[in-house]
Amino acid sequence: MFTTYRLELPEPVTLNKLQIPVFTHMFLQNVSAHKVQVDPIQGKRISVTYLSSYPREQIEREVAIFLERFTPEHDEASASSAEILEPELNMVELHEPPLEKLCSCCTPGNQRNISDDLLEQRWLTLLKNQELAYHRPIITLLEYFDQSYVDYVGRRIGDCQQRQYSVLLPASFAEKMNYFHSAPMHLLLATHLSHDHETMKSFAADVSANNGKLPQDCGPYLETPPYILQSAPCYKVYMEMEDQVFEDNTAFVLKGQSFRNEGKRVYLLERLLNFTMREFVFLGTPEYVTRMRDLTLEWTVEWMEAVGLKGECALANDPFFLPGKVKQNFKVPKHVKYEVRADIPYKNDTISIASYDTHGDFFAKTFNFRLRDNAETWSGCIGLGLERVVWSFLQQYGLQSEHWPAAIPESVK
């Protein structure tokens, strides 16, 4: 059903880690592909996955047209990036986790796409604008996988400070970490009507003249957005810790909503504008943060084995925090991000269900938090996407609970 072909970018184009997310977003807006991956080490090799119903020649033609348009813009951006970004990033070599050993070797029992089943059996209801209503079976599975993950991984981490935050991230906070440079393609803004009385009257008159619909151009009526909808709940931890001094290595556990503008790529539980993340955040010495990354990768794979979910670990190429304009000399690991990817059998592919980011001292320096003894302070986080866990589990085993792994409790089936 899906086909993958690989090629190298034209000779003038080599993408660095900061350019890859922008490139992949632009690529998927212009090419009828399901997925594109850029080798994070080489920065030139790309893998394009597309539905087999598309002729290979059509995909190749679309890729060629996109690269022809992208290259001139990229040359200028790349020269600028080389001058501004690369010299100021201090890449730290760390020992890397043994990815080839971090695999969950379960045996899924389903090979067909269960998307239609989810709707026909009313586990999901598709609302307008691709919004979803979750029914009880999905809600039960979301709660089960969340709690079992916290029980398995959280218990091994040990003492964690619990947190709960709103979904609103102040725009001023995002500006401070240059968020608008690093991930503009994902932005969802939160604003409101101007409190000016005359502006509100004018807005109401426009709505009335437009038969109750919003005006075509709302800009004149709106305030500059004071908030954005968070793309990851962990940002609020760094916001809370701003200018703080703490005694020892510290772990946080939280759960929250994430918002990302996925455009036309939204598809049931696989890719959503709004999804739920369970997160653990680590603040402390570089040794502590990287040790927790390695351990939680191992524990996550063990947890997957325990619940019957097949998947593997891999290097990722879209660090969520590195800004487009670096104004200080930050220390970051050479490999910032790892993923745990679960199998989707019907298309012989995988999707990311969890990410493991090691930020180096980026957030510590940006928001001035540190250990009391002035030791070098790093941060890192884990984010588990709960809807994707449920999606990949159901794609691997189907909706008939009698075919689910024995580890799944009867109360969940």
Side-chain angles (χ1 to χ4, degrees):
M1 191 170 185
F2 287 85
T3 303
T4 299
Y5 84 93
R6 294 172 176 81
L7 68 155
E8 291 208 352
L9 295 171
E11 193 54 44
V13 184
T14 299
L15 299 166
N16 64 43
K17 285 183 171 64
L18 307 180
Q19 295 159 337
I20 288 172
V22 176
F23 173 85
T24 55
H25 177 79
M26 292 171 62
F27 187 99
L28 292 170
Q29 297 300 311
N30 289 272
V31 179
S32 304
H34 176 70
K35 183 173 67 175
V36 60
Q37 289 180 294
V38 182
D39 183 331
I41 308 302
Q42 298 293 331
K44 290 184 70 68
R45 299 174 185 165
I46 66 174
S47 301
V48 183
T49 303
Y50 60 96
L51 280 167
S52 298
S53 55
Y54 285 101
R56 169 77 172 254
E57 297 76 19
Q58 176 187 336
I59 295 294
E60 289 178 338
R61 186 166 58 251
E62 290 182 10
V63 170
I65 292 170
F66 168 71
L67 291 178
E68 186 178 345
R69 292 174 180 167
F70 177 82
T71 304
E73 298 173 4
H74 180 273
D75 286 344
E76 184 179 342
S78 130
S80 169
S81 296
E83 293 170 12
I84 296 173
L85 296 173
E86 295 297 343
E88 297 191 28
L89 279 175
N90 183 0
M91 297 291 185
V92 180
E93 292 278 357
L94 301 171
H95 86 278
E96 303 302 332
L99 296 184
E100 69 280 359
K101 296 182 180 178
L102 294 174
C103 297
S104 171
C105 300
C106 305
T107 307
N110 178 62
Q111 295 292 325
R112 53 183 291 275
N113 187 356
I114 51 84
S115 300
D116 290 342
D117 297 346
L118 285 170
L119 299 172
E120 290 169 3
Q121 297 186 34
R122 294 188 62 77
W123 287 38
L124 292 173
T125 298
L126 190 60
L127 310 177
K128 290 183 178 180
N129 297 327
Q130 300 196 60
E131 282 292 300
L132 292 173
Y134 300 168
H135 294 220
R136 188 177 181 279
I138 297 294
I139 296 169
T140 302
L141 284 167
L142 287 168
E143 291 173 346
Y144 165 70
F145 284 118
D146 177 38
Q147 191 58 56
S148 67
Y149 189 73
V150 171
D151 289 345
Y152 196 97
V153 174
R155 181 166 54 84
R156 286 161 176 77
I157 291 171
D159 185 35
C160 291
Q161 296 191 28
Q162 287 187 300
R163 289 293 187 273
Q164 182 172 320
Y165 303 107
S166 80
V167 301
L168 297 173
L169 191 68
S172 57
F173 179 83
E175 288 167 3
K176 190 167 183 178
M177 61 181 180
N178 282 296
Y179 181 86
F180 301 126
H181 289 287
S182 63
M185 72 290 288
H186 292 315
L187 273 177
L188 288 170
L189 305 173
T191 187
H192 54 81
L193 290 175
S194 168
H195 292 150
D196 176 73
H197 182 64
E198 291 303 317
T199 302
M200 287 195 174
K201 281 177 59 179
S202 179
F203 174 80
D206 245 4
V207 168
S208 180
N210 201 28
N211 295 318
K213 298 178 182 178
L214 284 173
Q216 287 292 321
D217 181 11
C218 290
Y221 303 114
L222 300 176
E223 295 284 356
T224 300
Y227 297 98
I228 64 173
L229 297 177
Q230 63 187 12
S231 58
C234 64
Y235 286 129
K236 288 289 185 67
V237 174
Y238 318 125
M239 183 175 170
E240 178 185 347
M241 294 302 294
E242 187 168 15
D243 296 326
Q244 299 295 310
V245 177
F246 51 101
E247 299 293 335
D248 202 355
N249 298 325
T250 306
F252 296 82
V253 59
L254 56 151
K255 178 181 176 181
Q257 297 296 306
S258 297
F259 298 82
R260 297 179 191 175
N261 181 12
E262 297 287 1
K264 296 178 181 178
R265 300 168 68 200
V266 171
Y267 180 61
L268 296 181
L269 297 179
E270 181 170 293
R271 191 172 293 277
L272 295 158
L273 294 176
N274 171 210
F275 56 95
T276 316
M277 287 185 74
R278 169 61 67 181
E279 291 200 298
F280 291 94
V281 178
F282 307 106
L283 310 180
T285 64
E287 294 75 19
Y288 168 71
V289 171
T290 53
R291 184 173 77 252
M292 295 315 299
R293 177 203 66 188
D294 293 351
L295 289 173
T296 52
L297 274 168
E298 291 179 19
W299 295 333
T300 299
V301 172
E302 290 175 8
W303 169 75
M304 292 171 71
E305 288 270 8
V307 299
L309 198 58
K310 185 178 181 182
E312 62 187 9
C313 292
L315 267 174
N317 58 18
D318 58 339
F320 76 95
F321 65 91
L322 283 175
K325 290 185 178 179
V326 177
K327 297 179 180 178
Q328 300 181 50
N329 184 27
F330 300 112
K331 284 186 179 179
V332 297
K334 181 178 179 182
H335 300 312
V336 168
K337 181 172 181 175
Y338 293 84
E339 288 179 337
V340 169
R341 304 185 64 85
D343 283 29
I344 305 296
Y346 84 90
K347 56 183 177 182
N348 193 28
D349 199 1
T350 61
I351 59 169
S352 173
I353 62 170
S355 64
Y356 300 75
D357 294 86
T358 308
H359 318 135
D361 61 7
F362 173 78
F363 284 111
K365 280 189 173 181
T366 301
F367 298 108
N368 190 39
F369 57 78
R370 61 181 175 82
L371 290 161
R372 184 169 295 282
D373 60 4
N374 286 315
E376 185 176 0
T377 305
W378 280 25
S379 62
C381 67
I382 305 171
L384 180 76
L386 295 175
E387 281 85 353
R388 282 196 170 188
V389 171
V390 171
W391 174 259
S392 51
F393 177 81
L394 293 175
Q395 290 289 3
Q396 290 185 20
Y397 292 101
L399 273 57
Q400 294 180 291
S401 60
E402 61 268 25
H403 297 154
W404 293 358
I408 307 299
E410 287 299 322
S411 60
V412 177
K413 295 181 176 179

